[in-house]
Amino acid sequence: MATRTLKTSILSLGRIHCHIYGVNVRNPLNRATYATALSINTSSQNKGFPDRGNRGPFNRRSRREAGDPRTDRMPVEQDWTAVYPTATPFRQGSVPLPVRMGFPVKKGVPPEKKGNLELIKIPNFLHLTPLAIKKHCEALKPFCTEWPSALDTGAKCDEHFPVKVESKDYVSAGTSLRNPSARIVHLRVSFCVNYDYAMYLLTVLYHESWKMEAWESEKTVADMEEYSWEDSPSQKNIMSTLVRMQVEGEGEAVREELLGRPEVQEYRDSVTRLKNEGESESSMHQYRDAVKKLLNL
Amino acid sequence: MEWHQTPGNHALCMRYHSTPAITTSLSSPIKVPPSSCGQEAVGMELETRPETLSIFRTQENDPACQSEQHLGQYYTVPPSHFHTVFPHGLPPRYQQQVKTFNEGCVMVRQPALELISHLKRADYSKPTMRYLLYGVKGSGKTMSLCHTVHYCSTQGWLVLHIPDAHLWVKNCKELLPSSYHASRFDQPIQASNWLRNFRTTNEHFLSKIKLRQRYVWTKRESTEEGRPLGELVDMGVSRVKSSSDVVGAVLKELRLQAGGTEGGFRLAVAVDGVNGLWGRTTLKKEDKSPVAPEELTLVHNLRKMINNDWCGGAVIATLSQTGSLYAPSSAYLPQELLGEEGFDSMDPFVPVPVSLYSEKEFESCYLYYLDRHWLQHPHSRTEEGKKELIFLSNRNPSVLERLCAFL
């Protein structure tokens, strides 16, 4: 195995350089340590790996030593918005709180924040302190104008702005950040406003919808909203089966006659029902009866 | 003089008890009407028999003669049939059960009886009928299929049993590009395994069917017209590389010759897990792009068999979610598992629903396990224990079987 130093953990013990073999060292700053298996720090014992310059498996030489966590140097009156200006994942070296999270294993406590993936996974609102929000508002103010003084009552607002769009945001604890009910947006229109204009709009839309564009003729079977039995594989199958069963001539007349039969109609209804409504026991039974009747079982 | 008991006759006037041994007693004589199935028909009094009469068993071991009166009862598959008819078709747990109990008993249930009655009455000069067994997981679709296959083979049909179509679309170690068609892929191992089992099932047909076409395999090897089918199959088993094409040739020959007037035979195509033929595979080509099912020679040829453009036989298929790929575990209805493409290919077919055990069938199964001393736990012999079993298994056959294995 490639060797590597574990100077980071050693440094946090108060800058004592020593070679330790997995034993607990005296801890002047009363910080918990990990009992980790360390190994000798000599580059001459690079077993088996020819020198790859500075690109070795664990690039020991040019690796920068990690410094103290920022929490050591944080005064109480610091500017928190400088530490967390935007939404960022939890950084245990930047948050001076002794937070613990996770499931306590037997006779234990929730694990601490150092190296804690649970804290990193969840969303945090450390960037949204009241001070930060105040700063946001101050920054936005130059771009805003005053609220029109004439619109001081709700009735006046409705009169001038009859169309209202309402969207809702939710805050909840759950497995996902997103709440599906937040996707619903309400659009409200009050009718008393301009009836003529509304009618005009609807008429225009109605006539527009009848116009066929050139690209609409490229509609494929997959685009259809509803299943139509005519010209579907189902119709072709059943027609060819019936024609072969009949043994009497071929031709359009035979097909027409077959299509007109009540069993075929029933079959067509059951297939359409299956495809449009989806499957259920009852629609399957209907299909079954139709097929049995059709194929004379 | 031999006479066969039909326990079903007096099932009407008896109630099921939880004890395995039930004696029959009848107050008046019952005339057993003569039937054409070889039961010695005598109008006689069925007197009280001191021996134990198993009400869940029937002596009628020929599927052709089973009828509604045998519903819910177990019939024994003769041991001689076992290895020829079912070299590869039975569910694995059932095979273990057969080994343990030293006998293969199959319950006569409504879906299988319905299928068999359709098969009896169908007109084989018309295009092939397709039947599809569907139902929730563990409800007995594969067992019903095997029952029907047993019927077909006792009637002398040629049985083409594909035990699980999903095995051909996943976990294939070797995919060879097909020599016959540039864009298709061969699966030599699966094809040769299947040919071997096919040979075991249909020994007697192999010498009778003659090829109608000449098949050229390589520059030096070819099979001439008029040679028996057995030669083709042997070649496929020994020359593994071309076994997929041999399967295609065998299927084509059978399709052409089934229902023919001279030396005609009936062909039963039994496919388990037919929804594996449409949909997706987990196989990948060398450039890591996925393989579509129609690019596999075996699947391509099997799809041709399932079409109803040939006559003289029947296609019996089951849906299976258990081995299927990319299907949710709650799916069991035909359209969900077959997909649009599959449904359109199978259309029109007769769907046959397979439901969970009814009360009578559950009783039967419970008594059978008691009789075989499979339920060892003393509590399972009580009424309470039986109610617990009903509750835990919800009368689902496979769940019940697994539960009882613990007891």
Side-chain angles (χ1 to χ4, degrees):
Chain A
M1 291 297 136
T3 61
R4 90 174 147 132
T5 53
L6 286 162
K7 290 187 185 169
T8 46
S9 59
I10 301 171
L11 280 175
S12 71
L13 297 172
R15 295 175 214 85
I16 301 168
H17 292 278
C18 55
H19 300 299
I20 311 166
Y21 287 85
V23 185
N24 259 337
V25 185
R26 62 199 160 90
N27 199 348
L29 291 175
N30 277 343
R31 293 220 182 101
T33 57
Y34 297 121
T36 47
L38 305 177
S39 47
I40 299 174
N41 169 26
T42 42
S43 51
S44 58
Q45 291 202 1
N46 200 0
K47 312 177 186 35
F49 281 100
D51 189 12
R52 288 165 65 184
N54 284 350
R55 297 182 321 268
F58 301 104
N59 211 351
R60 299 167 332 274
R61 272 178 237 187
S62 59
R63 188 185 161 114
R64 223 167 17 113
E65 293 174 7
D68 295 336
R70 193 169 166 175
T71 47
D72 292 350
R73 287 172 271 132
M74 277 185 175
V76 178
E77 299 301 326
Q78 70 171 333
D79 179 17
W80 182 252
T81 53
V83 184
Y84 264 91
T86 49
T88 18
F90 184 86
R91 286 188 299 262
Q92 55 93 9
S94 309
V95 178
L97 307 165
V99 188
R100 286 180 173 269
M101 176 153 167
F103 187 83
V105 275
K106 300 187 242 213
K107 302 205 194 264
V109 290
E112 60 170 9
K113 64 178 179 175
K114 191 156 175 182
N116 194 331
L117 194 59
E118 302 292 322
L119 282 166
I120 301 176
K121 285 195 292 195
I122 53 170
N124 64 65
F125 296 101
L126 294 164
H127 56 292
L128 292 177
T129 48
L131 191 61
I133 296 176
K134 219 187 253 183
K135 277 195 182 177
H136 278 307
C137 294
E138 294 299 319
L140 284 173
K141 262 210 172 116
F143 302 100
C144 301
T145 56
E146 286 279 336
W147 181 259
S149 50
L151 285 176
D152 43 2
T153 58
K156 284 200 194 154
C157 291
D158 285 343
E159 192 192 321
H160 293 278
F161 300 101
V163 180
K164 287 196 225 161
V165 178
E166 259 174 59
S167 64
K168 291 187 186 166
D169 292 318
Y170 293 82
V171 177
S172 58
T175 46
S176 156
L177 278 182
R178 321 215 180 275
N179 192 326
S181 350
R183 296 178 59 210
I184 304 169
V185 173
H186 291 273
L187 178 81
R188 286 183 215 283
V189 184
S190 41
F191 274 123
C192 52
V193 174
N194 194 342
Y195 178 76
D196 293 329
Y197 183 63
M199 282 291 112
Y200 161 73
L201 266 183
L202 282 172
T203 324
V204 168
L205 285 171
Y206 176 74
H207 284 293
E208 278 296 315
S209 67
W210 278 108
K211 277 201 208 153
M212 279 281 276
E213 301 280 335
W215 45 263
E216 275 192 50
S217 48
E218 292 166 29
K219 195 174 178 188
T220 59
V221 174
D223 291 325
M224 300 275 187
E225 304 92 13
E226 248 190 10
Y227 176 80
S228 72
W229 192 68
E230 284 75 38
D231 283 337
S232 72
S234 169
Q235 189 195 22
K236 294 195 195 102
N237 285 345
I238 193 72
M239 282 292 116
S240 63
T241 316
L242 283 175
V243 161
R244 266 177 289 139
M245 277 166 72
Q246 293 290 86
V247 189
E248 307 153 5
E250 266 277 346
E252 272 308 308
V254 182
R255 283 176 56 89
E256 289 303 320
E257 189 259 317
L258 284 173
L259 272 174
R261 278 213 235 139
E263 293 104 17
V264 180
Q265 304 288 326
E266 244 185 76
Y267 174 76
R268 183 195 67 186
D269 291 333
S270 64
V271 173
T272 321
R273 186 181 163 201
L274 259 185
K275 295 259 183 174
N276 280 338
E277 282 179 35
E279 278 179 316
S280 65
E281 285 293 326
S282 62
S283 55
M284 262 295 106
H285 279 296
Q286 192 187 358
Y287 177 74
R288 201 163 102 98
D289 297 326
V291 172
K292 275 187 175 163
K293 257 192 237 169
L294 196 52
L295 300 174
N296 301 330
L297 277 176
Chain B
M1 174 180 62
E2 267 191 74
W3 58 285
H4 295 258
Q5 275 263 353
T6 35
N9 272 347
H10 37 260
L12 298 162
C13 41
M14 272 202 314
R15 291 226 241 116
Y16 288 88
H17 305 293
S18 55
T19 53
I22 294 165
T23 52
T24 66
S25 57
L26 290 163
S27 50
S28 58
I30 292 180
K31 283 203 178 292
V32 180
S35 64
S36 54
C37 304
Q39 277 184 317
E40 297 287 312
V42 192
M44 64 195 311
E45 214 173 74
L46 292 164
E47 66 249 20
T48 321
R49 301 192 66 181
E51 301 101 357
T52 59
L53 178 67
S54 11
I55 191 176
F56 54 87
R57 277 192 203 269
T58 169
Q59 307 299 323
E60 189 50 72
N61 287 342
D62 184 9
C65 300
Q66 285 160 356
S67 62
E68 269 80 33
Q69 61 189 64
H70 299 113
L71 270 181
Q73 294 176 344
Y74 279 87
Y75 82 96
T76 324
V77 178
S80 51
H81 285 187
F82 233 86
H83 293 288
T84 41
V85 179
F86 298 124
H88 54 173
L90 294 169
R93 282 196 78 100
Y94 182 74
Q95 281 173 355
Q96 288 172 343
Q97 187 184 302
V98 167
K99 227 189 281 185
T100 319
F101 292 168
N102 241 348
E103 61 171 6
C105 282
V106 178
M107 197 196 275
V108 176
R109 291 182 78 193
Q110 174 56 30
L113 276 185
E114 192 185 323
L115 264 182
I116 293 177
S117 68
H118 286 322
L119 290 177
K120 281 185 196 166
R121 290 177 298 172
D123 182 349
Y124 290 106
S125 55
K126 302 264 172 73
T128 341
M129 281 302 304
R130 273 100 51 104
Y131 306 93
L132 187 67
L133 288 160
Y134 71 95
V136 292
K137 220 194 281 207
S139 54
K141 306 180 282 285
T142 310
M143 287 310 294
S144 300
L145 183 73
C146 292
H147 187 171
T148 320
V149 163
H150 186 214
Y151 163 78
C152 294
S153 88
T154 48
Q155 297 292 302
W157 292 33
L158 203 163
V159 174
L160 219 74
H161 191 150
I162 287 106
D164 193 356
H166 292 300
L167 293 175
W168 289 356
V169 296
K170 58 180 179 177
N171 296 341
C172 177
K173 301 274 188 309
E174 273 188 32
L175 257 191
L176 301 175
S178 164
S179 46
Y180 181 69
H181 198 279
S183 61
R184 291 212 274 259
F185 292 94
D186 277 353
Q187 288 152 295
I189 313 177
Q190 276 86 351
S192 55
N193 272 341
W194 184 79
L195 277 174
R196 214 169 294 133
N197 288 325
F198 172 74
R199 188 171 54 185
T200 324
T201 323
N202 300 302
E203 281 291 353
H204 45 281
F205 278 106
L206 292 179
S207 42
K208 284 195 230 156
I209 302 178
K210 305 275 182 255
L211 299 178
R212 290 215 183 139
Q213 194 191 323
R214 181 170 181 256
Y215 294 98
V216 179
W217 306 116
T218 60
K219 274 190 232 147
R220 272 164 289 170
E221 278 175 20
S222 65
T223 318
E224 299 300 325
E225 197 178 318
R227 305 296 303 160
L229 192 66
E231 210 181 280
L232 193 60
V233 175
D234 289 330
M235 212 214 78
V237 174
S238 50
R239 297 253 182 290
V240 179
K241 271 217 157 56
S242 46
S243 49
S244 318
D245 292 322
V246 168
V247 171
V250 163
L251 292 180
K252 181 170 164 190
E253 285 292 322
L254 291 175
R255 215 171 41 234
L256 289 174
Q257 295 193 26
T261 40
E262 4 55 59
F265 54 89
R266 302 242 182 100
L267 180 61
V269 181
V271 187
D272 205 333
V274 75
N275 49 317
L277 296 179
W278 297 278
R280 293 156 68 179
T281 70
T282 51
L283 306 173
K284 293 214 184 357
K285 299 183 203 151
E286 274 159 6
D287 55 357
K288 312 275 176 150
S289 60
V291 175
E294 47 270 2
E295 290 177 8
L296 295 169
T297 329
L298 287 175
V299 173
H300 179 87
N301 289 320
L302 191 56
R303 280 195 197 178
K304 283 198 254 180
M305 283 310 275
I306 297 191
N307 276 339
N308 62 352
D309 47 7
W310 52 282
C311 53
V315 176
I316 312 146
T318 59
L319 293 176
S320 167
Q321 194 280 328
T322 316
S324 72
L325 301 162
Y326 309 107
S329 60
S330 53
Y332 72 97
L333 288 165
Q335 217 168 330
E336 291 169 332
L337 286 174
L338 284 173
E340 280 229 32
E341 208 193 324
F343 188 86
D344 289 332
S345 316
M346 290 282 297
D347 200 27
F349 61 92
V350 180
V352 181
V354 180
S355 55
L356 305 175
Y357 277 157
S358 64
E359 294 219 7
K360 178 174 172 187
E361 290 169 344
F362 179 84
E363 275 293 335
S364 219
C365 185
Y366 176 74
L367 291 175
Y368 178 64
Y369 284 143
L370 278 180
D371 173 64
R372 296 273 96 205
H373 303 294
W374 191 232
L375 294 171
Q376 292 286 322
H377 197 281
H379 187 61
S380 57
R381 287 176 224 267
T382 62
E383 226 8 84
E384 284 265 332
K386 194 152 84 114
K387 286 202 192 123
E388 269 189 42
L389 281 176
I390 298 183
F391 177 74
L392 283 173
S393 63
N394 195 22
R395 294 211 193 94
N396 183 313
S398 78
V399 173
L400 178 65
E401 195 262 314
R402 272 166 218 262
L403 276 178
C404 294
F406 289 121
L407 295 172

